[in-house]
């Protein structure tokens, strides 16, 4: 009898794995509805409860504000320079509303991002003809990311200052983060510190740990999510 | 028949758990604790913000999970553990009465007959063993991403998340019941329990030793 309970639990687990994708959609729909009626926000803690999850690869991240934040653009460019937050705000702003898709499975629908097109900063710096890629560093001191020059110049790649129509807070990677709309969210590096134009792509933090470098949503990392852009 | 319990020379204490069983329990509890704490660091946003170091926490979680069945498997060499597994596997008519009383919230010892393990402990043992292996299997699918196709991994993530929550609740119940019963904890710590406790909580088990004592004195 005890053995039957044991084997039954195992069997239920296997059924759950097989039926998981269907069940997950059902639970997401149900909790999505429930969370709108839930003022405590506790449903957000349940699996598939929606919302962002906080990931950082370091133990602590310094805070940067109006006075201390600088974004540098350097590498294979004619005019390296650094930007303050005010400098970045003075540039033309682009607002986009797309889904955010994390490679671990969670998705946040219709999230507005707003900021300066990366291509704008690259043009302002004057990219050398020999340049083939862009490398990003972050002020958490560990995270890095990369894009090919072609990817970096897309109109849906932003140096984002605002998310969900608010200035980006520290936990979401503020005051400035990268936003790569068509790719899994690990490409959208938080706490953006430096943009370095390079000859070739250098794999980023998670990419050295097995993630795909070309992280198109739905066409990489062995996943088939609905594309976000 | 299972071996009858050993009795202390003064007859006031019964031997409940062997050294191997106690160490298996202790090690499993420690590994499970590591799994639960690291899971909280990965999953609860406030704690994730506090701790960070995602790569390290993930690695600790994975290896603690892999190691989770090792203590019990190692202790299978112990005859006492194998005998107890046999007792946990066997459900008798008194277990049905025990479960019915539990469902009625009837707490009188007389309505809850039990041998060495009561029906609740038997269910807990079988279910948590199965659930642990399901967590291990689904965890492996999420860890070794090239092992299985994507659809399986989505399902594995779903099962791993929800079963983790369920296991957490059940585990809290297990710990809560132990906290409420010092003699049960004493048994798991030293291996010995008071006969008076056994007579109340596990009368059918305690009766076997009396029968033995009476037989040997006659």
């Amino acid at each position: 009898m005890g053995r039957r309970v044991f084997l039954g639990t195992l069997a239920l687990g296997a059924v759950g794995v097989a039926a998981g994708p269907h069940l997950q959609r059902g639970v997401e729909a149900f909790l999505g509805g429930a969370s709108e009626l839930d003022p405590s926000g506790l449903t957000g803690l349940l699996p598939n409860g929606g919302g962002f999850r906080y990931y950082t690869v370091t133990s602590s991240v310094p805070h940067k504000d109006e006075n201390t934040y600088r974004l540098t653009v350097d590498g294979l460019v004619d005019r390296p320079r650094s930007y303050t937050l005010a400098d970045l705000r003075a540039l033309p702003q682009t607002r986009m509303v797309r889904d955010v898709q994390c490679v671990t499975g969670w998705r946040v629908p219709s999230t507005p991002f707003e900021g300066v097109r990366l291509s704008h900063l690259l043009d302002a710096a004057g990219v050398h003809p020999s340049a083939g890629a862009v490398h990003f560093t972050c002020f958490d001191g560990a995270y890095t990311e990369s894009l090919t020059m072609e990817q970096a110049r897309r109109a849906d790649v932003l140096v984002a200052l605002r998310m969900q129509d608010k200035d980006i807070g520290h936990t979401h990677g503020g005051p400035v983060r990268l936003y790569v709309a068509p790719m899994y969210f690990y490409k959208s590096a938080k706490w953006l510190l430096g943009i370095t134009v390079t000859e070739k792509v250098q794999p980023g933090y998670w990419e050295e740990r097995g993630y795909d470098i070309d992280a198109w949503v739905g066409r990489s990392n062995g996943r088939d999510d609905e594309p976000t852009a | 028949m299972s071996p009858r319990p050993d009795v202390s020379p003064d007859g006031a204490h019964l031997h409940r758990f062997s050294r191997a069983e106690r160490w298996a329990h202790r090690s499993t509890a420690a590994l499970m604790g590591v799994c639960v704490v690291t899971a909280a660091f990965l999953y609860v946003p406030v704690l994730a913000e506090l701790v960070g170091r995602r790569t390290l926490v993930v690695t600790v979680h994975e290896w603690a999970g892999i190691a989770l069945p090792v203590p019990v498997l190692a202790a299978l060499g112990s005859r006492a553990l194998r005998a107890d597994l046999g007792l946990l596997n066997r459900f008798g008519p008194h277990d049905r009465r025990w479960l019915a009383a539990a469902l009625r919230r009837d707490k009188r010892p007389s309505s809850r007959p039990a041998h060495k393990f009561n029906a609740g402990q038997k269910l807990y043992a079988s279910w948590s063993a199965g659930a642990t292996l399901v967590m291990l299997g689904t965890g492996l699918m999420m860890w070794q991403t090239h092992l299985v196709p994507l659809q399986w991994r989505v399902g594995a993530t779903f099962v791993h998340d929800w079963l983790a929550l369920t296991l957490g609740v059940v585990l809290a119940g297990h710990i809560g019941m132990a906290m409420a019963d010092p003699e049960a904890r004493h048994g798991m710590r030293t291996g010995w329990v008071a006969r008076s406790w056994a007579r109340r909580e596990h009368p059918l088990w305690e009766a076997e030793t009396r029968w033995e004592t009476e037989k040997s004195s006659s």
Side-chain angles (χ1 to χ4, degrees), chain A residues 40-185:
Chain A
S40 69
L42 282 177
T43 46
L45 285 180
L46 291 174
N48 324 112
F52 287 89
R53 296 194 193 173
Y54 177 92
Y55 293 166
T56 170
V57 297
T58 59
S59 55
S60 72
V61 181
H63 288 246
K64 300 234 177 192
D65 60 19
E66 210 63 55
N67 301 318
T68 52
Y69 183 78
R70 296 286 182 282
L71 174 67
T72 59
V73 181
D74 57 17
L76 302 173
V77 295
D78 296 326
R79 296 172 294 278
R81 71 163 287 188
S82 83
Y83 294 86
T84 64
L85 278 177
D87 295 337
L88 289 170
R89 289 198 191 105
L91 297 171
Q93 306 289 307
T94 302
R95 183 174 180 274
M96 295 182 355
V97 184
R98 302 271 194 285
D99 290 0
V100 166
Q101 175 72 52
C102 178
V103 74
T104 60
W106 52 268
R107 187 179 183 104
V108 183
S110 309
T111 308
F113 279 89
E114 195 176 338
V116 184
R117 283 207 172 107
L118 178 58
S119 61
H120 186 95
L121 297 182
L122 293 173
D123 289 341
V127 172
H128 288 187
S130 63
V134 185
H135 191 67
F136 305 93
T137 52
C138 304
F139 62 78
D140 70 351
Y143 204 78
T144 55
E145 255 309 334
S146 274
L147 293 170
T148 66
M149 187 55 72
E150 192 188 347
Q151 292 163 359
R153 285 194 176 283
R154 284 175 62 112
D156 53 8
V157 176
L158 303 181
V159 170
L161 301 163
R162 289 166 69 77
M163 178 179 132
Q164 295 170 321
D165 295 316
K166 292 181 298 232
D167 289 344
I168 300 177
H170 179 75
T171 53
H172 285 300
V176 177
R177 75 178 297 166
L178 193 63
Y179 175 59
V180 185
M183 296 198 179
Y184 285 106
F185 210 40

Side-chain angles (χ1 to χ4, degrees), chain B residues 29-213:
Chain B
L31 288 168
M32 184 63 97
V34 172
C35 283
V36 170
V37 169
T38 48
F41 288 168
L42 293 171
Y43 193 78
V44 181
V46 183
L47 297 177
E49 284 174 39
L50 209 64
V51 177
R53 297 176 208 257
R54 214 167 168 79
T55 320
L56 174 69
V57 180
V58 166
T59 308
V60 172
H61 184 78
E62 287 164 342
W63 285 102
I66 288 287
L68 202 46
V70 173
V72 170
L73 290 179
L76 278 179
S78 137
R79 182 172 306 158
L81 178 75
R82 290 201 304 273
D84 278 352
L85 287 180
L87 291 176
L88 285 167
N89 181 37
R90 218 170 300 134
F91 277 63
H94 55 277
D95 290 315
R96 196 182 302 271
R97 281 184 57 204
W98 190 99
L99 281 175
L103 288 174
R104 286 197 312 271
R105 306 206 169 273
D106 180 350
K107 289 192 166 42
R108 284 171 304 168
S110 57
S111 13
R112 294 202 178 191
H115 193 255
K116 184 170 183 180
F117 302 106
N118 66 43
Q121 291 168 323
K122 291 178 184 180
L123 283 181
Y124 173 79
S126 324
W127 181 83
S128 61
T132 302
L133 290 188
V134 171
M135 291 303 279
L136 195 118
T138 51
L140 272 177
M141 289 186 207
M142 292 155 73
W143 180 5
Q144 304 295 329
T145 49
H146 299 288
L147 219 58
V148 294
L150 170 78
Q151 280 307 301
W152 287 39
R153 238 157 63 216
V154 174
T157 312
F158 178 84
V159 170
H160 201 83
D161 282 6
W162 281 101
L163 190 54
L165 212 60
T166 316
L167 250 177
V169 172
V170 173
L171 212 56
H174 175 71
I175 295 168
M177 275 182 252
M179 295 315 285
D181 191 343
E183 189 59 20
R185 292 208 307 281
H186 185 260
M188 193 45 97
R189 204 165 53 243
T190 64
W192 292 87
V193 291
R195 184 186 282 279
S196 56
W197 176 86
R199 189 172 298 167
R200 190 174 66 246
E201 299 287 335
H202 301 276
L204 301 177
W205 179 58
E206 190 267 341
E208 277 183 8
T209 68
R210 263 185 295 158
W211 179 72
E212 186 179 57
T213 323

Side-chain angles (χ1 to χ4, degrees), chain A residues 12-23, chain B residues 151-152 155-156 159:
Chain A
L12 261 181
V15 169
V17 170
H22 295 282
L23 294 170
Chain B
Q151 280 307 301
W152 287 39
V159 170

